[in-house]
Amino acid sequence: MHNVGAQYLKGTYGTTPGSRQGSAKTRFVEAYTQRFGEKPPKPYIDNCYDAIAVLALAMHQAKSSDPKAIRDALRQVANPPGEPCEPGDFQPAFELISQGKKVNYRGASGEVDFDDHGDVVTPIEVWKIDDSGTIVTERLEDV
């Protein structure tokens, strides 16, 4: 921040994908910190993790790597109703899917529910550079 002149950026706002606090977010941060010795870097890491998790669950649901089969299975593993599963619950989730049961992945970034257009809506974090030159979260907004 100091290399670009933090004194000129004070009060500046920006946005990034956000995430709500909850048990899934906590589990993700704790597991990442334990594995790598630091908190997960931002932005996008929790969204990326969730995308890969849902992709793996959908492939298992579809019993295929065919893109159309995976696409058609996404809502079956990430939208209610279904047995909730969170980061780290993949073995039990795979077992439930193999038994013909529905799962509902609840991700590190929040609920991973696909709408009618195939989009997942996550909150947007609005951040600000404060007087000390530190980026702080101002608020989360649902869009």
Side-chain angles (χ1 to χ4, degrees):
M1 181 73 65
H2 296 287
N3 294 338
V4 296
Q7 70 273 18
Y8 302 111
L9 299 175
K10 291 178 186 171
T12 303
Y13 287 85
T15 61
T16 188
S19 58
R20 300 260 178 229
Q21 291 298 322
S23 62
K25 173 78 172 185
T26 300
R27 289 177 73 181
F28 172 71
V29 171
E30 287 174 355
Y32 188 98
T33 303
Q34 182 179 3
R35 173 70 172 89
F36 297 105
E38 62 185 15
K39 288 188 176 182
K42 284 291 253 171
Y44 302 110
I45 191 165
D46 42 8
N47 304 90
C48 182
Y49 179 90
D50 291 343
I52 293 168
V54 170
L55 178 64
L57 292 168
M59 288 176 71
H60 193 74
Q61 174 71 37
K63 297 179 181 72
S64 173
S65 60
D66 176 69
K68 289 180 182 176
I70 295 169
R71 177 201 63 200
D72 294 343
L74 289 172
R75 286 181 183 86
Q76 297 175 42
V77 299
N79 286 28
E83 185 68 34
C85 65
E86 297 182 345
D89 289 342
F90 299 110
Q91 190 59 43
F94 290 145
E95 290 171 11
L96 287 167
I97 291 168
S98 293
Q99 296 167 11
K101 297 181 180 171
K102 190 161 172 26
V103 297
N104 177 18
Y105 178 73
R106 304 173 79 185
S109 63
E111 296 295 330
V112 184
D113 296 341
F114 290 86
D115 67 14
D116 292 339
H117 304 287
D119 297 321
V120 174
V121 179
T122 58
I124 300 295
E125 177 183 335
V126 178
W127 54 261
K128 177 182 178 181
I129 299 177
D130 69 11
D131 290 338
S132 70
T134 303
I135 296 173
V136 295
T137 299
E138 282 281 306
R139 66 188 177 278
L140 289 175
E141 291 189 10
D142 292 318
V143 290

